[in-house]
Amino acid sequence: MKLSTIKDVARIAKVSITTVSATINGTAPVSKALQERVWEAVKTAGYHPDPVARNLRMGTSKTIGLIVPDIATPWAAHLAKAMQRALSDIGYNMLFASNDDDPEREFREIELFSSHRVAGLIIAPTTHGEDYAGRLADAVHTPAVLVDRVIENSRFDSVTDDNHFGAQLITRYLLKLGHRDIAFMVGRPGISSSDERYAGFLETMAAANVTVRDELIHHRIHLREHAFASVQKLMTLPRPPTAIACINIAQLLGTMAGLQNMGLRVPDDVSVISFDGFHPAEGWNPSITALTQDITTVSTRAAELLLARIEGKVDTPPQIIRVAPSLTVRTSCRAVPGTA
Amino acid sequence: MKLSTIKDVARIAKVSITTVSATINGTAPVSKALQERVWEAVKTAGYHPDPVARNLRMGTSKTIGLIVPDIATPWAAHLAKAMQRALSDIGYNMLFASNDDDPEREFREIELFSSHRVAGLIIAPTTHGEDYAGRLADAVHTPAVLVDRVIENSRFDSVTDDNHFGAQLITRYLLKLGHRDIAFMVGRPGISSSDERYAGFLETMAAANVTVRDELIHHRIHLREHAFASVQKLMTLPRPPTAIACINIAQLLGTMAGLQNMGLRVPDDVSVISFDGFHPAEGWNPSITALTQDITTVSTRAAELLLARIEGKVDTPPQIIRVAPSLTVRTSCRAVPGTA
DNA sequence: CTGTAAACACAAATCGTTTCGTGTTATCCA
DNA sequence: TGGATAACACGAAACGATTTGTGTTTACAG
């Protein structure tokens, strides 16, 4: 069961190593007759070029690296799955790392992957720490595409959900149901997805001439516990919100737990809506009305973009692609009593 | 920003390449004085040995491959996360692939990873198709550890949840609540986790002298739709079950959706319990009583086992390690009326 | 003082590719 | 038919590490 080398193939086909390489890669003209002999020999030898040797010689591999903050979040898991599919279709494979949202580990992973000479990187960046954009820019020396979180003015392409549009969708939906007192949980400042969603929310509210009550906006809610605490505060206000918008799963879980803890029912006592559609929202009671993110499109576009850069087909300035989500209405929101 | 090679280090330290390699890897005796010069040079050159060149020369890399049926299942995602952590701690990194439970893709991935000269493989096997065990045995030429599903008499180590024990836990709990008419959804036959759980259930029931009603056992339920349909049948029986046990998430989701569709309430009309603890069971109403799987232990043990094999420290016969789950009681089960 | 073993350093071969430079043969046009 | 040009084939040099074999120095026992 020894693997055969290009040398074996050359011997069998009675040609030089050079010719074998040339026929296989089509990098130099080879006569029809020889080509046939070579391919025949390749088959009988069961030859597959050694990716490692190729990697060493060429300085690049058919491998891309995927780096996400936390593979255990459904969003990232789906991304990884779709991405791996997209890549294996075109003969690439995937190195993978998860870093618990820790930029130090993230940069170490980037370096590690680089030393393995990946052809490119897909990164869902942590975007924490001092001068993150700068550090990233000079840590990465291969083509790279950022997903999920956007970094403004970076030299990398980005593919992300259209958070602004998503915020419109959610906000308009709540407004249409008659909600005016909408609580909004913002995440960590500087995380683009959070910022953009919040901005979209404010804008849509303003466009509808509805004033946003400051005490209903809670910032820096990125752990379950935060959301749990927030809910207690929100629902004990003299005039509590009629709807709560959550940005991610952690918030949603915390919110639901908090409400249950207070003996409040959804949607009877308060409506709940989520930006993050990646949870098993059905089968439970209530099922959560949420945005549905088109993660397949995100990964396909990201893969396309990366490949185009790798193959040097494009040298357009970095672009930001936003993929539109849709709103999936389930049972966690109801109209405000006394509204059409 | 050019990477420095071992040659640069040798030049700076004014020694031969051999000496540099010897000091770094400790493979040959080098005098204290030279060692110091070498390390100094390594530092000033910012030298890291090129893993690719090392891989080519040594015929093996510090990379292990993880292959799972579906990374988008929470179980696999948590496994990947814990595994990557365990491996990166000891200087290994991870190639990763997901195959949608398709053995053909699985074997292609094994071959691909092998050609990249991974040092070992962690496989959550699909266990489908003709002579799966045999095919696997001669597809894999590196050390490998199987997780989740067990293959009897294979030449590989396995690490898995203790399904038999889990089934005992669940069954005894239901019995204690007074349930006698327990519906059990079995998965595809031949999948060890499903078979073992079912066997454990039967055994525990028998030990308690409770007869199992055949019409409450539904086989080959591995898609949501199957479970959805099953539930309709179960709950329209003249004497419907008082409790339903689900083996995996797909079943659980289908079951809950089916019940809701029939207007039945959990746990008022029927209790539901799950073997698969990897879902956001809290915050929803009801929260599902389920086994909690100790996936960190599973991945740690698997990594240890694999590393031991890789480093040739052990050549004991293949072992099967079973990691015990625990039962997390939530709110989806209630005592049968008229029971203590 | 000598012989031998241990300790140390190095040049060169190797892993399996791709590619550069060189040489040979065929092809075409004037 | 001669000569330029294209087409084709090949040997040898990279890529960056480890390892083998050889030679030189030091240390120590006889």
Side-chain angles (χ1 to χ4, degrees):
Chain A
M1 188 51 218
K2 225 188 125 287
L3 248 44
S4 51
T5 78
I6 197 175
K7 207 188 275 183
D8 302 321
V9 176
R11 185 161 28 72
I12 296 177
K14 296 191 204 305
V15 294
S16 78
I17 290 178
T18 314
T19 308
V20 177
S21 176
T23 35
I24 290 180
N25 303 309
T27 52
V30 176
S31 67
K32 260 283 186 254
L34 280 203
Q35 278 196 32
E36 211 142 306
R37 286 227 311 271
V38 169
W39 284 121
E40 187 68 22
V42 164
K43 193 170 294 176
T44 71
Y47 169 72
H48 290 282
D50 183 332
V52 178
R54 192 195 222 112
N55 186 349
L56 175 60
R57 171 64 224 230
M58 309 234 291
T60 180
S61 64
K62 285 225 161 209
T63 302
I64 73 102
L66 174 68
I67 300 180
V68 298
D70 185 359
I71 184 62
T73 58
W75 188 89
H78 279 85
L79 178 76
K81 184 179 178 181
M83 195 63 81
Q84 203 243 333
R85 180 126 228 187
L87 289 173
S88 83
D89 282 351
I90 49 177
Y92 276 72
N93 47 357
M94 201 168 111
L95 269 170
F96 161 78
S98 173
N99 53 43
D100 282 326
D101 219 13
D102 174 358
E104 300 314 317
R105 283 181 58 195
E106 181 184 30
F107 284 116
R108 233 176 301 136
E109 287 162 354
I110 291 176
E111 201 171 333
L112 184 66
F113 285 2
S114 301
S115 79
H116 278 263
R117 295 216 177 78
V118 294
L121 290 168
I122 305 271
I123 306 178
T126 60
T127 63
H128 303 158
E130 217 165 316
D131 187 26
Y132 181 85
R135 282 186 74 186
L136 189 69
D138 49 48
V140 176
H141 303 102
T142 62
V145 172
L146 272 29
V147 292
D148 194 23
R149 298 175 186 166
V150 164
I151 297 177
E152 296 298 336
N153 300 322
S154 101
R155 64 178 173 82
F156 304 109
D157 299 306
S158 292
V159 180
T160 178
D161 297 308
D162 191 335
N163 291 307
H164 193 272
F165 178 68
Q168 277 186 11
L169 240 40
I170 282 198
T171 313
R172 284 190 190 148
Y173 175 72
L174 291 177
L175 288 171
K176 205 171 64 185
L177 289 180
H179 295 278
R180 293 297 176 270
D181 299 306
I182 303 175
F184 196 101
M185 295 196 187
V186 191
R188 215 186 301 221
I191 306 279
S192 68
S193 55
S194 170
D195 293 346
E196 291 169 7
R197 287 165 182 180
Y198 181 45
F201 165 73
L202 290 181
E203 205 170 297
T204 312
M205 291 289 272
N209 277 319
V210 178
T211 52
V212 174
R213 288 169 51 204
D214 274 357
E215 70 267 32
L216 297 187
I217 309 300
H218 283 201
H219 290 270
R220 300 177 177 274
I221 312 295
H222 58 273
L223 293 181
R224 256 182 75 156
E225 292 71 35
H226 302 164
F228 190 93
S230 269
V231 164
Q232 319 283 323
K233 270 191 233 146
L234 285 170
M235 299 310 292
T236 51
L237 285 173
R239 190 171 131 212
T242 59
I244 304 178
C246 296
I247 276 202
N248 56 37
I249 282 201
Q251 283 185 5
L252 177 62
L253 289 171
T255 299
M256 295 302 285
L259 291 174
Q260 189 167 341
N261 179 257
M262 300 176 74
L264 296 174
R265 303 187 57 111
V266 176
D268 310 277
D269 298 313
V270 61
S271 294
V272 170
I273 198 165
S274 170
F275 277 81
D276 192 335
F278 276 96
H279 51 85
E282 299 140 64
W284 271 271
N285 192 8
S287 55
I288 305 295
T289 293
L291 290 183
T292 296
Q293 292 151 319
D294 184 359
I295 208 151
T296 306
T297 302
V298 169
S299 25
T300 310
R301 300 299 298 275
E304 286 170 1
L305 224 52
L306 185 61
L307 261 290
R309 297 278 183 200
I310 287 173
E311 296 174 356
K313 281 182 187 162
V314 293
D315 62 344
T316 55
Q319 15 176 339
I320 300 181
I321 294 181
R322 297 180 190 274
V323 177
S326 56
L327 184 66
T328 304
V329 174
R330 299 197 181 86
T331 63
S332 65
C333 297
R334 68 159 189 172
V336 174
T339 318
Chain B
M1 187 53 216
K2 229 191 123 285
L3 249 45
S4 49
T5 78
I6 197 175
K7 206 187 278 182
D8 302 322
V9 175
R11 186 162 26 77
I12 296 177
K14 293 189 205 306
V15 296
S16 78
I17 290 179
T18 314
T19 308
V20 177
S21 177
T23 38
I24 289 180
N25 303 310
T27 52
V30 175
S31 66
K32 259 289 187 251
L34 279 205
Q35 279 196 33
E36 210 141 307
R37 285 229 309 274
V38 169
W39 284 120
E40 186 69 23
V42 164
K43 193 170 296 179
T44 70
Y47 169 72
H48 291 281
D50 183 332
V52 177
R54 195 196 217 109
N55 186 349
L56 176 60
R57 170 65 224 232
M58 309 237 290
T60 181
S61 64
K62 286 227 161 206
T63 302
I64 74 102
L66 173 68
I67 300 180
V68 298
D70 186 359
I71 184 63
T73 59
W75 188 88
H78 278 85
L79 178 76
K81 183 179 178 178
M83 194 64 78
Q84 202 243 334
R85 179 128 227 185
L87 289 172
S88 84
D89 282 351
I90 50 178
Y92 276 73
N93 48 357
M94 200 167 112
L95 268 170
F96 160 79
S98 171
N99 53 44
D100 280 326
D101 219 12
D102 174 358
E104 300 314 317
R105 284 181 59 193
E106 181 183 30
F107 284 116
R108 231 175 302 137
E109 286 162 353
I110 291 176
E111 201 171 332
L112 184 67
F113 284 3
S114 302
S115 78
H116 278 262
R117 297 218 177 78
V118 294
L121 289 169
I122 305 270
I123 307 178
T126 61
T127 63
H128 303 158
E130 219 166 314
D131 186 26
Y132 180 85
R135 283 185 74 186
L136 189 68
D138 48 48
V140 176
H141 304 102
T142 61
V145 172
L146 272 28
V147 292
D148 193 24
R149 299 174 185 166
V150 164
I151 297 178
E152 296 299 336
N153 300 322
S154 102
R155 65 179 172 82
F156 304 109
D157 299 306
S158 291
V159 180
T160 178
D161 296 310
D162 192 335
N163 291 307
H164 193 273
F165 178 69
Q168 278 187 10
L169 240 39
I170 280 196
T171 313
R172 284 189 190 148
Y173 175 71
L174 291 178
L175 288 171
K176 205 171 64 186
L177 289 181
H179 294 279
R180 292 297 176 270
D181 299 306
I182 303 175
F184 197 99
M185 296 198 187
V186 192
R188 218 186 298 223
I191 306 280
S192 69
S193 54
S194 171
D195 293 348
E196 292 170 7
R197 289 166 182 179
Y198 181 46
F201 166 72
L202 291 180
E203 204 171 297
T204 313
M205 291 289 273
N209 277 319
V210 178
T211 50
V212 174
R213 290 169 51 205
D214 274 356
E215 70 268 30
L216 296 187
I217 309 301
H218 283 202
H219 290 270
R220 299 177 178 275
I221 312 295
H222 58 272
L223 293 180
R224 255 182 77 158
E225 292 71 36
H226 302 162
F228 190 94
S230 270
V231 164
Q232 318 284 322
K233 271 192 231 144
L234 286 169
M235 300 310 291
T236 51
L237 285 172
R239 192 170 130 210
T242 59
I244 303 178
C246 297
I247 277 201
N248 56 38
I249 281 202
Q251 283 185 6
L252 177 61
L253 288 172
T255 299
M256 294 303 284
L259 291 174
Q260 188 167 341
N261 178 256
M262 299 176 74
L264 296 174
R265 302 188 59 113
V266 175
D268 309 276
D269 298 314
V270 62
S271 293
V272 171
I273 198 165
S274 169
F275 277 81
D276 192 334
F278 276 99
H279 51 85
E282 301 139 64
W284 272 270
N285 190 14
S287 55
I288 305 295
T289 292
L291 290 182
T292 295
Q293 292 151 319
D294 185 358
I295 207 150
T296 305
T297 302
V298 168
S299 26
T300 310
R301 300 300 298 273
E304 285 171 1
L305 225 51
L306 184 62
L307 260 291
R309 297 280 182 197
I310 288 174
E311 296 173 357
K313 282 182 186 161
V314 293
D315 61 342
T316 54
Q319 18 176 336
I320 298 182
I321 294 181
R322 296 180 191 274
V323 178
S326 58
L327 184 67
T328 304
V329 174
R330 299 198 181 85
T331 63
S332 65
C333 297
R334 67 160 191 173
V336 173
T339 319

mmCIF file of all heavy atoms in Angstrom, chain A residues 233-264:
data_model
loop_
_atom_site.group_PDB
_atom_site.id
_atom_site.type_symbol
_atom_site.label_atom_id
_atom_site.label_comp_id
_atom_site.label_asym_id
_atom_site.label_seq_id
_atom_site.Cartn_x
_atom_site.Cartn_y
_atom_site.Cartn_z
ATOM 1 N N LYS A 233 -35.251 44.571 35.308
ATOM 2 C CA LYS A 233 -35.367 46.030 35.358
ATOM 3 C C LYS A 233 -36.460 46.524 34.429
ATOM 4 O O LYS A 233 -37.305 47.350 34.797
ATOM 5 C CB LYS A 233 -34.027 46.667 34.937
ATOM 6 C CG LYS A 233 -33.089 46.911 36.108
ATOM 7 C CD LYS A 233 -31.912 47.785 35.661
ATOM 8 C CE LYS A 233 -30.587 47.137 36.026
ATOM 9 N NZ LYS A 233 -29.525 47.388 35.082
ATOM 10 N N LEU A 234 -36.436 46.017 33.211
ATOM 11 C CA LEU A 234 -37.386 46.497 32.201
ATOM 12 C C LEU A 234 -38.832 46.284 32.651
ATOM 13 O O LEU A 234 -39.671 47.181 32.559
ATOM 14 C CB LEU A 234 -37.162 45.755 30.871
ATOM 15 C CG LEU A 234 -35.942 46.176 30.062
ATOM 16 C CD1 LEU A 234 -35.718 45.196 28.907
ATOM 17 C CD2 LEU A 234 -36.118 47.597 29.526
ATOM 18 N N MET A 235 -39.115 45.091 33.151
ATOM 19 C CA MET A 235 -40.503 44.744 33.405
ATOM 20 C C MET A 235 -41.021 45.291 34.729
ATOM 21 O O MET A 235 -42.204 45.130 35.047
ATOM 22 C CB MET A 235 -40.690 43.212 33.340
ATOM 23 C CG MET A 235 -40.347 42.619 31.977
ATOM 24 S SD MET A 235 -41.128 43.451 30.572
ATOM 25 C CE MET A 235 -42.847 43.012 30.842
ATOM 26 N N THR A 236 -40.130 45.916 35.504
ATOM 27 C CA THR A 236 -40.618 46.546 36.730
ATOM 28 C C THR A 236 -40.700 48.056 36.586
ATOM 29 O O THR A 236 -40.951 48.772 37.558
ATOM 30 C CB THR A 236 -39.704 46.193 37.921
ATOM 31 O OG1 THR A 236 -38.359 46.460 37.559
ATOM 32 C CG2 THR A 236 -39.843 44.731 38.299
ATOM 33 N N LEU A 237 -40.452 48.550 35.409
ATOM 34 C CA LEU A 237 -40.603 49.980 35.152
ATOM 35 C C LEU A 237 -42.073 50.349 35.326
ATOM 36 O O LEU A 237 -42.952 49.506 35.130
ATOM 37 C CB LEU A 237 -40.180 50.320 33.719
ATOM 38 C CG LEU A 237 -38.676 50.343 33.424
ATOM 39 C CD1 LEU A 237 -38.445 50.521 31.926
ATOM 40 C CD2 LEU A 237 -38.003 51.463 34.195
ATOM 41 N N PRO A 238 -42.327 51.612 35.681
ATOM 42 C CA PRO A 238 -43.722 52.060 35.800
ATOM 43 C C PRO A 238 -44.476 51.787 34.500
ATOM 44 O O PRO A 238 -45.627 51.366 34.508
ATOM 45 C CB PRO A 238 -43.595 53.569 36.040
ATOM 46 C CG PRO A 238 -42.160 53.846 36.317
ATOM 47 C CD PRO A 238 -41.346 52.638 36.015
ATOM 48 N N ARG A 239 -43.760 52.025 33.399
ATOM 49 C CA ARG A 239 -44.415 51.742 32.113
ATOM 50 C C ARG A 239 -43.505 50.787 31.345
ATOM 51 O O ARG A 239 -42.623 51.201 30.606
ATOM 52 C CB ARG A 239 -44.595 53.059 31.349
ATOM 53 C CG ARG A 239 -45.473 52.940 30.121
ATOM 54 C CD ARG A 239 -45.776 54.340 29.566
ATOM 55 N NE ARG A 239 -45.532 54.436 28.146
ATOM 56 C CZ ARG A 239 -45.129 55.536 27.528
ATOM 57 N NH1 ARG A 239 -44.861 56.632 28.222
ATOM 58 N NH2 ARG A 239 -44.967 55.542 26.219
ATOM 59 N N PRO A 240 -43.704 49.499 31.544
ATOM 60 C CA PRO A 240 -42.814 48.494 30.949
ATOM 61 C C PRO A 240 -43.023 48.406 29.443
ATOM 62 O O PRO A 240 -44.035 48.862 28.929
ATOM 63 C CB PRO A 240 -43.251 47.190 31.635
ATOM 64 C CG PRO A 240 -44.659 47.418 32.004
ATOM 65 C CD PRO A 240 -44.810 48.879 32.298
ATOM 66 N N PRO A 241 -42.029 47.850 28.751
ATOM 67 C CA PRO A 241 -42.147 47.715 27.302
ATOM 68 C C PRO A 241 -43.217 46.699 26.938
ATOM 69 O O PRO A 241 -43.524 45.801 27.727
ATOM 70 C CB PRO A 241 -40.767 47.206 26.884
ATOM 71 C CG PRO A 241 -40.231 46.527 28.098
ATOM 72 C CD PRO A 241 -40.764 47.294 29.269
ATOM 73 N N THR A 242 -43.774 46.841 25.752
ATOM 74 C CA THR A 242 -44.741 45.843 25.276
ATOM 75 C C THR A 242 -44.048 44.822 24.391
ATOM 76 O O THR A 242 -44.622 43.811 24.040
ATOM 77 C CB THR A 242 -45.872 46.522 24.477
ATOM 78 O OG1 THR A 242 -45.289 47.219 23.356
ATOM 79 C CG2 THR A 242 -46.622 47.517 25.344
ATOM 80 N N ALA A 243 -42.804 45.152 24.004
ATOM 81 C CA ALA A 243 -42.054 44.208 23.164
ATOM 82 C C ALA A 243 -40.569 44.332 23.499
ATOM 83 O O ALA A 243 -40.090 45.406 23.838
ATOM 84 C CB ALA A 243 -42.284 44.487 21.685
ATOM 85 N N ILE A 244 -39.860 43.207 23.381
ATOM 86 C CA ILE A 244 -38.420 43.200 23.621
ATOM 87 C C ILE A 244 -37.717 42.616 22.402
ATOM 88 O O ILE A 244 -38.096 41.551 21.925
ATOM 89 C CB ILE A 244 -38.052 42.348 24.852
ATOM 90 C CG1 ILE A 244 -38.812 42.849 26.095
ATOM 91 C CG2 ILE A 244 -36.548 42.371 25.101
ATOM 92 C CD1 ILE A 244 -38.552 42.025 27.340
ATOM 93 N N ALA A 245 -36.706 43.347 21.904
ATOM 94 C CA ALA A 245 -35.939 42.850 20.763
ATOM 95 C C ALA A 245 -34.577 42.360 21.240
ATOM 96 O O ALA A 245 -33.867 43.079 21.940
ATOM 97 C CB ALA A 245 -35.769 43.954 19.719
ATOM 98 N N CYS A 246 -34.231 41.139 20.859
ATOM 99 C CA CYS A 246 -32.953 40.556 21.266
ATOM 100 C C CYS A 246 -32.041 40.410 20.050
ATOM 101 O O CYS A 246 -32.479 40.058 18.963
ATOM 102 C CB CYS A 246 -33.158 39.172 21.883
ATOM 103 S SG CYS A 246 -34.113 39.206 23.388
ATOM 104 N N ILE A 247 -30.771 40.657 20.287
ATOM 105 C CA ILE A 247 -29.839 40.652 19.170
ATOM 106 C C ILE A 247 -29.233 39.281 18.916
ATOM 107 O O ILE A 247 -28.922 38.924 17.804
ATOM 108 C CB ILE A 247 -28.733 41.702 19.442
ATOM 109 C CG1 ILE A 247 -29.239 43.056 19.003
ATOM 110 C CG2 ILE A 247 -27.457 41.332 18.751
ATOM 111 C CD1 ILE A 247 -28.161 44.032 18.708
ATOM 112 N N ASN A 248 -29.069 38.510 19.948
ATOM 113 C CA ASN A 248 -28.446 37.203 19.729
ATOM 114 C C ASN A 248 -29.033 36.155 20.668
ATOM 115 O O ASN A 248 -29.899 36.435 21.484
ATOM 116 C CB ASN A 248 -26.928 37.298 19.907
ATOM 117 C CG ASN A 248 -26.568 37.864 21.275
ATOM 118 O OD1 ASN A 248 -27.229 37.584 22.257
ATOM 119 N ND2 ASN A 248 -25.528 38.676 21.312
ATOM 120 N N ILE A 249 -28.530 34.951 20.518
ATOM 121 C CA ILE A 249 -29.086 33.835 21.277
ATOM 122 C C ILE A 249 -28.915 34.014 22.776
ATOM 123 O O ILE A 249 -29.823 33.724 23.554
ATOM 124 C CB ILE A 249 -28.394 32.526 20.859
ATOM 125 C CG1 ILE A 249 -28.978 32.061 19.539
ATOM 126 C CG2 ILE A 249 -28.597 31.452 21.916
ATOM 127 C CD1 ILE A 249 -28.771 30.601 19.293
ATOM 128 N N ALA A 250 -27.755 34.489 23.170
ATOM 129 C CA ALA A 250 -27.504 34.656 24.599
ATOM 130 C C ALA A 250 -28.565 35.568 25.208
ATOM 131 O O ALA A 250 -29.154 35.262 26.247
ATOM 132 C CB ALA A 250 -26.107 35.231 24.827
ATOM 133 N N GLN A 251 -28.807 36.674 24.528
ATOM 134 C CA GLN A 251 -29.828 37.608 25.012
ATOM 135 C C GLN A 251 -31.197 36.958 25.065
ATOM 136 O O GLN A 251 -31.957 37.120 26.025
ATOM 137 C CB GLN A 251 -29.895 38.824 24.083
ATOM 138 C CG GLN A 251 -28.771 39.812 24.275
ATOM 139 C CD GLN A 251 -28.973 41.032 23.412
ATOM 140 O OE1 GLN A 251 -30.001 41.171 22.739
ATOM 141 N NE2 GLN A 251 -27.987 41.911 23.418
ATOM 142 N N LEU A 252 -31.499 36.230 24.003
ATOM 143 C CA LEU A 252 -32.820 35.619 23.920
ATOM 144 C C LEU A 252 -33.034 34.627 25.061
ATOM 145 O O LEU A 252 -34.064 34.644 25.741
ATOM 146 C CB LEU A 252 -32.974 34.910 22.566
ATOM 147 C CG LEU A 252 -34.288 34.169 22.367
ATOM 148 C CD1 LEU A 252 -35.467 35.136 22.420
ATOM 149 C CD2 LEU A 252 -34.288 33.421 21.045
ATOM 150 N N LEU A 253 -32.033 33.791 25.281
ATOM 151 C CA LEU A 253 -32.164 32.802 26.347
ATOM 152 C C LEU A 253 -32.289 33.483 27.700
ATOM 153 O O LEU A 253 -33.129 33.111 28.526
ATOM 154 C CB LEU A 253 -30.953 31.860 26.341
ATOM 155 C CG LEU A 253 -30.901 30.890 25.175
ATOM 156 C CD1 LEU A 253 -29.562 30.163 25.139
ATOM 157 C CD2 LEU A 253 -32.037 29.888 25.267
ATOM 158 N N GLY A 254 -31.474 34.480 27.915
ATOM 159 C CA GLY A 254 -31.533 35.207 29.172
ATOM 160 C C GLY A 254 -32.878 35.878 29.357
ATOM 161 O O GLY A 254 -33.464 35.865 30.451
ATOM 162 N N THR A 255 -33.357 36.469 28.303
ATOM 163 C CA THR A 255 -34.643 37.159 28.360
ATOM 164 C C THR A 255 -35.777 36.195 28.701
ATOM 165 O O THR A 255 -36.583 36.438 29.603
ATOM 166 C CB THR A 255 -34.938 37.839 27.011
ATOM 167 O OG1 THR A 255 -33.922 38.805 26.752
ATOM 168 C CG2 THR A 255 -36.292 38.523 27.045
ATOM 169 N N MET A 256 -35.814 35.086 27.986
ATOM 170 C CA MET A 256 -36.883 34.119 28.225
ATOM 171 C C MET A 256 -36.819 33.570 29.651
ATOM 172 O O MET A 256 -37.848 33.424 30.318
ATOM 173 C CB MET A 256 -36.791 32.971 27.201
ATOM 174 C CG MET A 256 -37.041 33.398 25.761
ATOM 175 S SD MET A 256 -38.639 34.179 25.481
ATOM 176 C CE MET A 256 -39.708 32.741 25.547
ATOM 177 N N ALA A 257 -35.602 33.280 30.074
ATOM 178 C CA ALA A 257 -35.444 32.768 31.431
ATOM 179 C C ALA A 257 -35.894 33.807 32.444
ATOM 180 O O ALA A 257 -36.592 33.497 33.424
ATOM 181 C CB ALA A 257 -33.986 32.364 31.678
ATOM 182 N N GLY A 258 -35.496 35.061 32.169
ATOM 183 C CA GLY A 258 -35.861 36.138 33.083
ATOM 184 C C GLY A 258 -37.369 36.311 33.189
ATOM 185 O O GLY A 258 -37.923 36.479 34.282
ATOM 186 N N LEU A 259 -38.026 36.273 32.049
ATOM 187 C CA LEU A 259 -39.478 36.455 32.039
ATOM 188 C C LEU A 259 -40.157 35.315 32.786
ATOM 189 O O LEU A 259 -41.052 35.526 33.600
ATOM 190 C CB LEU A 259 -39.983 36.525 30.593
ATOM 191 C CG LEU A 259 -39.573 37.791 29.830
ATOM 192 C CD1 LEU A 259 -39.999 37.702 28.374
ATOM 193 C CD2 LEU A 259 -40.190 39.030 30.484
ATOM 194 N N GLN A 260 -39.695 34.108 32.499
ATOM 195 C CA GLN A 260 -40.285 32.951 33.155
ATOM 196 C C GLN A 260 -40.106 33.060 34.665
ATOM 197 O O GLN A 260 -41.007 32.789 35.447
ATOM 198 C CB GLN A 260 -39.632 31.687 32.616
ATOM 199 C CG GLN A 260 -40.322 30.420 33.086
ATOM 200 C CD GLN A 260 -39.859 29.210 32.296
ATOM 201 O OE1 GLN A 260 -39.317 29.348 31.200
ATOM 202 N NE2 GLN A 260 -40.066 28.030 32.831
ATOM 203 N N ASN A 261 -38.920 33.521 35.037
ATOM 204 C CA ASN A 261 -38.602 33.695 36.447
ATOM 205 C C ASN A 261 -39.553 34.671 37.131
ATOM 206 O O ASN A 261 -39.876 34.549 38.311
ATOM 207 C CB ASN A 261 -37.152 34.171 36.571
ATOM 208 C CG ASN A 261 -36.748 34.400 38.005
ATOM 209 O OD1 ASN A 261 -36.691 35.545 38.438
ATOM 210 N ND2 ASN A 261 -36.503 33.341 38.754
ATOM 211 N N MET A 262 -40.015 35.653 36.365
ATOM 212 C CA MET A 262 -40.927 36.647 36.936
ATOM 213 C C MET A 262 -42.386 36.215 36.798
ATOM 214 O O MET A 262 -43.295 36.953 37.173
ATOM 215 C CB MET A 262 -40.740 37.994 36.242
ATOM 216 C CG MET A 262 -39.337 38.567 36.378
ATOM 217 S SD MET A 262 -39.175 40.100 35.421
ATOM 218 C CE MET A 262 -40.104 41.244 36.439
ATOM 219 N N GLY A 263 -42.584 35.059 36.198
ATOM 220 C CA GLY A 263 -43.953 34.587 36.024
ATOM 221 C C GLY A 263 -44.688 35.304 34.904
ATOM 222 O O GLY A 263 -45.910 35.311 34.854
ATOM 223 N N LEU A 264 -43.937 35.905 33.995
ATOM 224 C CA LEU A 264 -44.574 36.603 32.872
ATOM 225 C C LEU A 264 -44.659 35.681 31.665
ATOM 226 O O LEU A 264 -43.780 34.835 31.456
ATOM 227 C CB LEU A 264 -43.764 37.860 32.519
ATOM 228 C CG LEU A 264 -43.724 38.913 33.630
ATOM 229 C CD1 LEU A 264 -42.790 40.057 33.255
ATOM 230 C CD2 LEU A 264 -45.133 39.436 33.908
#
